[in-house]
Amino acid sequence: MFTFGYHVKRALVGVRSRPWAQVLTLGSVALAMVLVGSVLLIAQNLSRLTDDWGSGATVAVDLAEAVPPADVARIRQALKETPGVRRVTWVSPAQAKSRLLRGLGPDARLVAEVDESFLPASFEVVLGGDRSTVLAAQRRMTRMAKVVPGVESVRTVETWFHRLGRLVTGIRMAGLGLGLLVLFACGYIIMSTVRLRFVDRRQELQIMRLMGATERFIRTPFLMEGALLGLVGAALATGMLYGLFLLLGSRIHSLFGTSVSVSKLGFLPLSQVAYGLGVGALCGLLGSWFATRSGADA
Amino acid sequence: MIRLFGVSKGYPSRGPVLRRLDLHVARGEYLIICGASGAGKTTLMRIVTAAERPDAGQVMVAGRNLAKLKRSAIPYLRRNIGVIFQDFKLLGGSTVTENVALPLRICGIHGRTLRDRVEEVLELVGLEDKPFARCEELSGGEQQRVALARALASEPVILLADEPTGNLDPEATAQVLGLLDLARDRGLTVVLATHDPQVIGAGQADRVLEMTEGKLETRALRSGVWLERPEEPDTRGEREMSLIL
Ligand SMILES: Nc1ncnc2c1ncn2[C@@H]1O[C@H](COP(=O)(O)OP(=O)(O)O)[C@@H](O)[C@H]1O
Ligand SMILES: [Mg+2]
């Protein structure tokens, strides 16, 4: 449209008047969005950091008593072929007893007399790969208990893994819920700001109506202004979040120790940033749409 | 061009303002409506521009029945009507050009066409040398001429002037009245509302009506020719015929 440039000019004039209202609006919108962004960023990095925490996880596959050697060989083969399995080690009852004794330390006397045959033979399986692979491997092995002939029970650290997974999902959900809330808040803030100016310029708009301006013509610059506020607010939030990310990233060792590798940290993916900007603009558009509904200036 | 049939309008706080008023303004006619302040002249103008709905009666403007007009169609009706006011109603903080360009922008006109047309109407009202002056810096007479240029910019067929000279000195008043004559000469239908007897005497109106008690009575068929009694109905009909022909 040829009047587009004219509307943009009008919208920019609008942005320039009452500069403090603009700054306040942008500030609150940006802060609210930083809040949501940081929750999502934490979930994201928690997930990334713990991705390889699955490697080195072990699963103990306890065998039943007196399993024929052929079955033992078959079980070993099945375990080895499971994706995510790095190493399968045979643990004889004697080895199991010595491990147990070592583990108990001073209390070892209590079990010193126990006969080796009371302890089951087992396979110690070392897993590797990312979390989902490890989880899948664990699930498969757990299902082997009592089903595969010769496998008595399977002991895993599954609970720990699941809890972490649930934590990440939970944080993501909280972030999205918070995001919805913040969206409403931002929409409301922008609505109030745009409404303020809509009322400020009531007389001018009334003159335009007298000259035959359609409501669309009258509202367009305000809608642009609202969308712009939302977009710039989201962009500011992205910038602030990135600054925060760099700051914390450089201090991550002093905060969490060297167990956290900086190279694993990452900012929100570009698609999510673009999504955030779009959502910000949309939220501003909706806010200003409500601020300039017909009759809103009466 | 403008027809009102039995139009009544009142306000809760004031009671009836217009009482079963009839009016016919022919195409190209220059009509003066006079009457004391508070008689209802502005109310009548607002009804014609669909800014106000009558309580009863029917209104036809430029071939449209306003009662049947959708809200969304009102802007398009208004593009046929230029309006000027006692207080000019210029955009504060804007230049002469920005004000005059506004109705053209509203109609979607842009670029060279817009600039040419703005120049043209500014020349018409004698302000071609001040296109970038801020409106606040102009004299009252100049401001009213800017308003008039703005009202004429998009080539309306009707020009409504509500007490346009109320804030002006005699010299500026004469200028504005001269421009209204010019508008009529160019084929516009002009309706001028005023309570100033000097304006009534100075203008070149075809007809002068007085608003009293919510109705209109003919006072003159030419400015300065006063009727002692309200006109005979057939005289008025003849007058309208001659204007249409
Ligand atoms: N919006 C309104 N609400 C209430 N009363 C009004 C309104 N507009 C006009 N009036 C009243 O209607 C009467 C006619 O007003 P108006 O048409 O402005 O008269 P004029 O233009 O002839 O001076 C006045 O008494 C005025 O107070
Ligand atoms: Mg008035």
CSV table of all heavy atoms in Angstrom, one decimal, chain A residues 29 31-42 170-186 279:
chain,number,residue,atom,x,y,z
A,29,VAL,N,7.9,-5.0,29.5
A,29,VAL,CA,7.7,-6.1,28.5
A,29,VAL,C,9.0,-6.9,28.4
A,29,VAL,O,8.9,-8.2,28.5
A,29,VAL,CB,7.3,-5.5,27.1
A,29,VAL,CG1,7.4,-6.6,26.1
A,29,VAL,CG2,5.9,-5.0,27.2
A,31,LEU,N,11.5,-7.2,30.6
A,31,LEU,CA,11.8,-7.9,31.8
A,31,LEU,C,10.9,-9.1,31.9
A,31,LEU,O,11.4,-10.2,32.3
A,31,LEU,CB,11.6,-7.0,33.0
A,31,LEU,CG,12.8,-6.1,33.4
A,31,LEU,CD1,12.4,-5.2,34.6
A,31,LEU,CD2,14.0,-7.0,33.6
A,32,ALA,N,9.6,-9.0,31.6
A,32,ALA,CA,8.7,-10.1,31.7
A,32,ALA,C,9.1,-11.2,30.8
A,32,ALA,O,9.1,-12.4,31.1
A,32,ALA,CB,7.3,-9.6,31.4
A,33,MET,N,9.6,-10.8,29.6
A,33,MET,CA,10.0,-11.8,28.6
A,33,MET,C,11.3,-12.5,29.0
A,33,MET,O,11.5,-13.6,28.7
A,33,MET,CB,10.0,-11.2,27.2
A,33,MET,CG,8.6,-10.9,26.7
A,33,MET,SD,8.6,-10.3,25.0
A,33,MET,CE,6.9,-10.5,24.6
A,34,VAL,N,12.2,-11.7,29.6
A,34,VAL,CA,13.4,-12.2,30.1
A,34,VAL,C,13.2,-13.4,31.1
A,34,VAL,O,13.8,-14.4,31.1
A,34,VAL,CB,14.3,-11.2,30.7
A,34,VAL,CG1,15.4,-11.8,31.6
A,34,VAL,CG2,15.0,-10.3,29.6
A,35,LEU,N,12.2,-13.1,31.9
A,35,LEU,CA,11.8,-14.1,32.9
A,35,LEU,C,11.5,-15.4,32.3
A,35,LEU,O,12.0,-16.5,32.6
A,35,LEU,CB,10.6,-13.6,33.7
A,35,LEU,CG,10.4,-14.1,35.1
A,35,LEU,CD1,11.5,-13.6,36.0
A,35,LEU,CD2,9.0,-13.6,35.6
A,36,VAL,N,10.6,-15.4,31.3
A,36,VAL,CA,10.2,-16.6,30.6
A,36,VAL,C,11.4,-17.2,29.9
A,36,VAL,O,11.6,-18.4,29.9
A,36,VAL,CB,9.1,-16.2,29.6
A,36,VAL,CG1,8.7,-17.5,28.8
A,36,VAL,CG2,7.9,-15.7,30.3
A,37,GLY,N,12.1,-16.3,29.2
A,37,GLY,CA,13.2,-16.8,28.4
A,37,GLY,C,14.3,-17.5,29.3
A,37,GLY,O,14.8,-18.5,28.9
A,38,SER,N,14.5,-17.0,30.5
A,38,SER,CA,15.5,-17.6,31.3
A,38,SER,C,15.1,-18.9,31.8
A,38,SER,O,15.9,-19.9,31.9
A,38,SER,CB,15.9,-16.7,32.5
A,38,SER,OG,14.7,-16.2,33.2
A,39,VAL,N,13.8,-19.1,32.1
A,39,VAL,CA,13.3,-20.4,32.5
A,39,VAL,C,13.5,-21.4,31.3
A,39,VAL,O,14.0,-22.5,31.6
A,39,VAL,CB,11.8,-20.3,32.9
A,39,VAL,CG1,11.2,-21.7,33.1
A,39,VAL,CG2,11.6,-19.5,34.1
A,40,LEU,N,13.2,-21.0,30.1
A,40,LEU,CA,13.3,-21.9,29.0
A,40,LEU,C,14.8,-22.2,28.7
A,40,LEU,O,15.2,-23.3,28.4
A,40,LEU,CB,12.7,-21.2,27.7
A,40,LEU,CG,11.2,-21.1,27.8
A,40,LEU,CD1,10.7,-20.4,26.5
A,40,LEU,CD2,10.6,-22.5,27.9
A,41,LEU,N,15.6,-21.1,29.0
A,41,LEU,CA,17.1,-21.3,28.8
A,41,LEU,C,17.7,-22.3,29.8
A,41,LEU,O,18.5,-23.1,29.5
A,41,LEU,CB,17.8,-19.9,28.9
A,41,LEU,CG,19.2,-19.8,28.4
A,41,LEU,CD1,19.3,-20.2,27.0
A,41,LEU,CD2,19.7,-18.4,28.6
A,42,ILE,N,17.2,-22.2,31.0
A,42,ILE,CA,17.7,-23.1,32.1
A,42,ILE,C,17.3,-24.5,31.7
A,42,ILE,O,18.1,-25.5,31.7
A,42,ILE,CB,17.1,-22.7,33.4
A,42,ILE,CG1,17.8,-21.5,34.0
A,42,ILE,CG2,17.2,-23.9,34.4
A,42,ILE,CD1,17.1,-20.9,35.2
A,170,GLY,N,9.3,-30.5,33.4
A,170,GLY,CA,8.5,-29.7,34.3
A,170,GLY,C,9.0,-28.2,34.2
A,170,GLY,O,8.1,-27.3,34.1
A,171,ILE,N,10.3,-28.0,34.1
A,171,ILE,CA,10.7,-26.6,33.9
A,171,ILE,C,10.2,-26.0,32.6
A,171,ILE,O,9.8,-24.8,32.6
A,171,ILE,CB,12.3,-26.5,34.0
A,171,ILE,CG1,12.7,-26.9,35.4
A,171,ILE,CG2,12.8,-25.1,33.6
A,171,ILE,CD1,14.3,-27.0,35.5
A,172,ARG,N,10.2,-26.8,31.6
A,172,ARG,CA,9.7,-26.3,30.3
A,172,ARG,C,8.3,-26.0,30.4
A,172,ARG,O,7.9,-24.9,29.9
A,172,ARG,CB,9.9,-27.4,29.2
A,172,ARG,CG,11.3,-27.5,28.7
A,172,ARG,CD,11.4,-27.7,27.2
A,172,ARG,NE,12.7,-27.5,26.7
A,172,ARG,CZ,13.6,-28.5,26.5
A,172,ARG,NH1,13.2,-29.8,26.6
A,172,ARG,NH2,14.8,-28.3,26.1
A,173,MET,N,7.5,-26.8,31.0
A,173,MET,CA,6.1,-26.6,31.2
A,173,MET,C,5.8,-25.3,32.0
A,173,MET,O,5.0,-24.5,31.6
A,173,MET,CB,5.4,-27.8,31.9
A,173,MET,CG,5.2,-29.0,31.0
A,173,MET,SD,4.6,-28.4,29.4
A,173,MET,CE,3.7,-29.8,28.9
A,174,ALA,N,6.6,-25.2,33.1
A,174,ALA,CA,6.4,-24.0,33.9
A,174,ALA,C,6.8,-22.7,33.1
A,174,ALA,O,6.1,-21.7,33.2
A,174,ALA,CB,7.4,-24.1,35.1
A,175,GLY,N,7.8,-22.9,32.3
A,175,GLY,CA,8.2,-21.8,31.4
A,175,GLY,C,7.1,-21.4,30.4
A,175,GLY,O,6.8,-20.2,30.3
A,176,LEU,N,6.4,-22.4,29.9
A,176,LEU,CA,5.4,-22.1,28.9
A,176,LEU,C,4.2,-21.5,29.6
A,176,LEU,O,3.5,-20.6,29.1
A,176,LEU,CB,5.0,-23.4,28.2
A,176,LEU,CG,6.1,-23.8,27.2
A,176,LEU,CD1,5.6,-25.1,26.4
A,176,LEU,CD2,6.4,-22.7,26.2
A,177,GLY,N,3.8,-22.1,30.8
A,177,GLY,CA,2.7,-21.5,31.6
A,177,GLY,C,3.0,-20.1,32.0
A,177,GLY,O,2.1,-19.2,31.8
A,178,LEU,N,4.2,-19.8,32.4
A,178,LEU,CA,4.6,-18.5,32.8
A,178,LEU,C,4.5,-17.6,31.6
A,178,LEU,O,4.1,-16.4,31.6
A,178,LEU,CB,6.0,-18.5,33.3
A,178,LEU,CG,6.6,-17.3,34.0
A,178,LEU,CD1,5.8,-17.0,35.3
A,178,LEU,CD2,8.1,-17.4,34.2
A,179,GLY,N,4.9,-18.2,30.4
A,179,GLY,CA,4.9,-17.4,29.2
A,179,GLY,C,3.5,-17.0,28.8
A,179,GLY,O,3.3,-15.8,28.4
A,180,LEU,N,2.6,-17.8,29.0
A,180,LEU,CA,1.2,-17.5,28.7
A,180,LEU,C,0.7,-16.3,29.6
A,180,LEU,O,0.1,-15.3,29.1
A,180,LEU,CB,0.3,-18.7,29.0
A,180,LEU,CG,-0.9,-18.8,28.1
A,180,LEU,CD1,-0.5,-19.1,26.7
A,180,LEU,CD2,-1.8,-20.0,28.5
A,181,LEU,N,1.1,-16.4,30.9
A,181,LEU,CA,0.8,-15.4,31.8
A,181,LEU,C,1.4,-14.0,31.5
A,181,LEU,O,0.8,-13.0,31.4
A,181,LEU,CB,1.2,-15.8,33.2
A,181,LEU,CG,0.4,-15.3,34.4
A,181,LEU,CD1,-0.9,-16.1,34.4
A,181,LEU,CD2,1.2,-15.6,35.7
A,182,VAL,N,2.7,-14.2,31.1
A,182,VAL,CA,3.5,-13.0,30.8
A,182,VAL,C,2.9,-12.3,29.5
A,182,VAL,O,2.9,-11.1,29.3
A,182,VAL,CB,5.0,-13.3,30.6
A,182,VAL,CG1,5.7,-12.3,29.8
A,182,VAL,CG2,5.6,-13.5,32.0
A,183,LEU,N,2.5,-13.2,28.6
A,183,LEU,CA,1.9,-12.7,27.3
A,183,LEU,C,0.7,-11.9,27.6
A,183,LEU,O,0.5,-10.8,27.0
A,183,LEU,CB,1.4,-13.9,26.5
A,183,LEU,CG,1.7,-13.9,25.0
A,183,LEU,CD1,3.2,-13.8,24.8
A,183,LEU,CD2,1.2,-15.1,24.3
A,184,PHE,N,-0.2,-12.3,28.5
A,184,PHE,CA,-1.3,-11.5,28.9
A,184,PHE,C,-0.9,-10.2,29.5
A,184,PHE,O,-1.4,-9.1,29.2
A,184,PHE,CB,-2.2,-12.3,29.9
A,184,PHE,CG,-3.2,-13.1,29.2
A,184,PHE,CD1,-3.2,-14.5,29.2
A,184,PHE,CD2,-4.3,-12.5,28.6
A,184,PHE,CE1,-4.1,-15.2,28.6
A,184,PHE,CE2,-5.3,-13.2,28.0
A,184,PHE,CZ,-5.2,-14.6,28.0
A,185,ALA,N,0.1,-10.3,30.4
A,185,ALA,CA,0.6,-9.1,31.1
A,185,ALA,C,1.2,-8.1,30.1
A,185,ALA,O,0.8,-6.9,30.1
A,185,ALA,CB,1.6,-9.5,32.1
A,186,CYS,N,2.0,-8.6,29.1
A,186,CYS,CA,2.6,-7.7,28.1
A,186,CYS,C,1.5,-7.1,27.3
A,186,CYS,O,1.5,-5.9,27.0
A,186,CYS,CB,3.6,-8.5,27.3
A,186,CYS,SG,5.0,-9.0,28.2
A,279,VAL,N,5.9,-13.9,18.7
A,279,VAL,CA,4.8,-13.8,19.8
A,279,VAL,C,4.8,-12.5,20.4
A,279,VAL,O,3.7,-12.0,20.7
A,279,VAL,CB,5.2,-14.9,20.8
A,279,VAL,CG1,4.4,-14.7,22.1
A,279,VAL,CG2,4.8,-16.3,20.2
